């Protein structure tokens, strides 16, 4: 009878979707004592205490014959622990302890070891299982796990040594320090338990703050090249967040002047790992040195100037680090803060025009409700999927819970973000959870924040990875965006936030061809304009040539500098007139879409070819040059397309902003002599570094254009219409019939 009651309690706990629970300790002998502020539930549960001692004879994965190993623990397909990284050691000693609360010992403890590669895919070093049913209750057991590769089971990859103890927990500990004794009757106690578990699950996803890092410069770095210089760049890592700076060629005293923001999820702040590298074409980059920043030692709401000496190398790094407490990310179940009338009014007051000049970085607020999905792709052999969603706004990234064995899942999860750039894109990706390998992609949507209609629950057709065509399924979202228009305008003229988790560029024939065609199309516009002007000179059409000649005489005789922005204003007004009159010239770009689809097919083909032969490693130097060429073509073509799309009213907010700027420029050039304007501009440029030595240089025009989507992005952000024939409700009716 007692066993049945325990199973009933476990079943109820599973329905909360909040297992397992974890609190980690490092170098502490008090096993089983939680270091967080939350009390963990233990109703009918087991407490598993694991000490990760050390590893021996691990596999070498780096070229120097060593590895940088770290360990992951998984239970039931969920990652519950990750150790620190031990650098350059095949016999690492961790001595880390972790306390896990589990509801069943039938699920084994899955141990995986990886070699940490900064900015690259971490290398697999082996895995092993620990059958928890073999562990005796209330006693400690030393375990030596032989690491194996599932694909090559005969290869021995070393040993991981653990100390494991298992005990049964009888009581439930609630946040109010109230002890609810075991009561297996169907009562409200289970509802209280479920509420506390969901609260704990929600808190574990909330950002505790933001660390702003300004990479100023390097000093006296080690020379790694034959010319006595280096081509240095810097990599940052905080948890799973990564960032790579730009590469500065041929210098030992680089000036980066780059700024990044990272979210803090650990209570103590965590440690930022910083490594400096020398860029080498054709071979592996050289390691210059490393350093770290322990955020727990820094005071909040204060900027710290740090000069860090590089370990295992030579030189210094100069940084500015600021810690700020943040409510930038929040997670709740079913009910968002906008549902509360008082909170809603407070948010509207916060972003009212009266507060336009306070806290310019806080531009707006977005609340996203992931309602449900229908008709998803079946990724498992059972004909089902285990879907979950990843919600991203710039570098903010959160996940929903997993709904198991369901093609029509309901999440009803609400996320809210503070936004610093109104031109950000909301990305929602649906994955299928897999226990022993990476999640399978099911579909994705990308929605620019400016295109969102508040309070409307809308069905979005899921797209493929390249966002160029539909895949199976529809996702229902309800999004609200509240922002301050003045802050949004000012924020459009500062550097765009870089994503610190991005795919590394690789050589692609189709991508190179696509960028060449885009560049050619932009150049053909100029060529056609030149032919048109030349035809006026040749009097191919007497009426047109005569009109052009009179206009030329009139403009040259009366030309003033303010007429340039005035002419651009007239062009914007003309295009606006064409749009409202129904003569929209912005045709859907099928050429770019076809190229993107071809590129996706080639990517799949390249992936298969790379598995069969490694010729890309032999041609690494050629690939580096080709990637640079295709990136330059992409940049030039994108700038030309962004200029065109500014005048085409692709993003009305930005076009109106351009109109305001051109009106001001016209008035300034009309009333103020050019020499005074040039004088003010020169004084500002010459004194900028004197007024603020750590100011990051930027170009307001390029920063503005970076917010305008290119033709590729227009295709990617284009909303697909749901096909009524594929409606899940109709499929149900047909099945019933």
């Amino acid at each position: 009878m007692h066993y049945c009651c325990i199973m009933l309690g476990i079943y109820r706990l599973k329905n909360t979707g909040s297992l397992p629970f974890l609190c980690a300790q490092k170098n502490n002998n008090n096993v089983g004592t939680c270091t967080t502020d939350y009390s963990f539930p233990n109703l009918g549960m087991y407490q598993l205490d694991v000490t990760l001692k050390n590893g021996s004879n691990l596999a070498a994965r780096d070229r120097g014959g060593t590895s940088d190993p770290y360990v992951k623990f998984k239970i039931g397909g969920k990652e519950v622990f990750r150790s620190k990284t031990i650098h350059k050691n095949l016999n690492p000693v961790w001595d880390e302890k972790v306390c896990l609360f589990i509801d069943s010992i039938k699920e084994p403890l899955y141990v995986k070891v990886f070699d940490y590669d900064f900015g690259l895919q971490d290398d697999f070093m082996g895995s092993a299982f620990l059958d928890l049913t073999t562990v005796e209750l209330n006693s400690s057991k030393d375990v030596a796990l032989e690491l194996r590769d599932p694909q090559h089971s005969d290869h021995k990859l070393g040993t991981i040594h653990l100390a494991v103890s298992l005990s049964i927990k009888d009581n439930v500990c609630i946040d109010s320090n109230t002890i609810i004794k075991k009561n297996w009757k169907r009562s409200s106690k289970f509802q209280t338990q479920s509420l506390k578990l969901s609260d704990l699950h929600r808190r574990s996803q909330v950002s505790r703050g933001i660390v702003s890092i300004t990479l100023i410069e390097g000093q006296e770095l080690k020379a790694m090249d034959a010319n006595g210089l280096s081509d240095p760049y810097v990599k940052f890592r905080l948890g799973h967040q990564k960032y790579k700076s730009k590469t500065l060629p041929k210098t030992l005293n680089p000036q980066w002047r780059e700024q990044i923001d990272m979210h803090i999820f650990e209570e103590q702040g965590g440690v930022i790992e910083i490594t400096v590298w020398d860029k080498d074409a054709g071979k592996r980059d050289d390691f210059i040195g490393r350093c770290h920043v322990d955020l727990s030692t820094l005071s909040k709401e204060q900027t710290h100037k740090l000069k860090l000496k590089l370990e295992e190398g030579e030189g210094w790094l100069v940084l500015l680090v600021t810690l700020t407490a943040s409510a930038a990310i929040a997670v709740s179940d079913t009910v968002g803060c906008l549902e509360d009338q008082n909170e809603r009014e407070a948010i509207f007051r916060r972003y009212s025009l009266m507060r336009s000049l306070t806290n310019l970085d806080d531009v707006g607020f977005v609340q996203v409700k992931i309602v449900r999905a229908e008709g998803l792709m079946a990724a498992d052999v059972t004909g089902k999927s285990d879907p979950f969603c990843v919600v991203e706004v710039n570098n903010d990234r959160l996940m929903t819970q997993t709904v198991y064995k369901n093609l029509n899942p309901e999440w009803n999860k609400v996320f809210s973000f503070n936004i610093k750039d109104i031109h950000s894109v909301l990305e929602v990706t649906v994955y299928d959870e897999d226990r022993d390998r990476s999640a399978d992609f099911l579909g994705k949507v990308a929605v620019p924040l400016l295109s969102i209609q508040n309070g409307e629950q809308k069905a979005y057709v899921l797209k493929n990875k390249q966002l160029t065509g539909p895949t199976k399924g529809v996702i229902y979202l309800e999004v609200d965006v509240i922002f301050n228009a003045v802050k949004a305008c000012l924020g459009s003229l500062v550097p765009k936030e870089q994503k610190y988790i991005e795919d590394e560029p690789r050589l692609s024939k189709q991508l190179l061809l696509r960028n060449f065609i885009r560049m050619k199309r932009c150049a053909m516009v100029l060529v056609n304009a030149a032919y048109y002007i030349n035809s006026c000179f040749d009097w191919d059409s007497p009426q047109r040539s005569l009109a052009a000649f009179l206009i030329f005489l009139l403009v040259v005789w009366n030309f003033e500098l303010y007429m340039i922005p005035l002419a651009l204003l007239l062009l914007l007004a003309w295009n606006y007139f064409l749009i409202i009159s129904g003569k929209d010239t912005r045709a859907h770009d099928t050429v770019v879409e076809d190229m993107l689809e071809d590129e996706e097919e080639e990517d799949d083909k390249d992936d298969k070819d790379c598995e069969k032969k490694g010729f890309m490693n032999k041609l690494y130097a050629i690939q580096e040059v080709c990637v640079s060429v295709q990136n330059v073509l992409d940049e030039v073509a994108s700038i030309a397309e962004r200029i065109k799309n500014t005048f085409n009213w692709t993003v009305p907010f930005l076009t109106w902003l351009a109109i305001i700027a051109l009106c001001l420029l016209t008035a300034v050039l009309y009333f103020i002599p050019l020499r005074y304007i040039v004088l003010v501009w020169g004084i500002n440029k010459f004194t900028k570094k004197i007024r603020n030595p750590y100011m990051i240089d930027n170009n307001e025009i390029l920063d503005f254009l970076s917010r305008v989507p290119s033709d590729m992005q227009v295709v990617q952000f284009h909303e697909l219409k749901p096909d009524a024939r594929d409606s899940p409700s109709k499929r149900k009716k047909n099945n019933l019939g």
Side-chain angles (χ1 to χ4, degrees), residues 468-470 588-599 711 715 718 720:
T468 56
H588 187 56
D589 203 335
T590 57
V591 176
V592 174
E593 188 170 343
D594 291 341
M595 286 191 293
L596 285 170
E597 290 175 352
D598 292 341
E599 180 191 337
D711 286 352
V715 173
H718 176 68
L720 300 176

Side-chain angles (χ1 to χ4, degrees), residues 422-424 447-453 481 483 488 651-654:
I422 194 59
H423 310 289
S424 302
V447 186
L449 296 183
L450 282 173
S451 68
I452 290 171
Q453 298 179 357
V481 179
F483 67 97
V651 181
F653 180 90
L654 289 172

Side-chain angles (χ1 to χ4, degrees), residues 166-209:
L166 187 67
S167 59
I168 297 178
K169 307 301 292 181
D170 293 328
N171 295 327
V172 178
C173 186
I174 302 298
D175 288 348
S176 60
N177 298 323
T178 304
I179 302 296
I180 299 180
K181 298 189 181 294
K182 284 197 297 185
N183 186 340
W184 302 103
K185 295 181 180 180
R186 300 186 178 212
S187 66
S188 61
K189 291 183 177 64
F190 288 108
Q191 297 176 4
T192 305
Q193 173 74 2
S194 176
L195 174 64
K196 297 303 177 183
L197 297 187
S198 63
D199 285 349
L200 181 63
H201 181 65
R202 176 169 65 249
R203 289 173 191 158
S204 68
Q205 298 186 67
V206 176
S207 170
R208 298 179 182 272

Side-chain angles (χ1 to χ4, degrees), residues 551-560:
I551 292 173
F552 171 76
L553 293 177
L554 186 64
V555 169
V556 172
W557 185 258
N558 298 283
F559 178 77
E560 296 290 344

Side-chain angles (χ1 to χ4, degrees), residues 5-21:
C5 292
I6 291 178
M7 288 300 102
L8 174 61
I10 291 173
Y11 172 76
R12 288 182 177 271
L13 285 171
K14 282 185 176 178
N15 287 342
T16 65
S18 55
L19 300 175
F21 309 101

Side-chain angles (χ1 to χ4, degrees), residues 100-124:
L100 300 170
F101 290 87
I102 57 177
D103 65 337
S104 172
I105 59 175
K106 292 183 178 179
E107 292 284 353
L109 177 67
Y110 189 23
V111 180
K112 300 180 76 173
V113 185
F114 292 90
D115 168 54
Y116 169 59
D117 287 327
F118 199 105
L120 303 174
Q121 181 76 29
D122 292 347
D123 298 321
F124 178 70

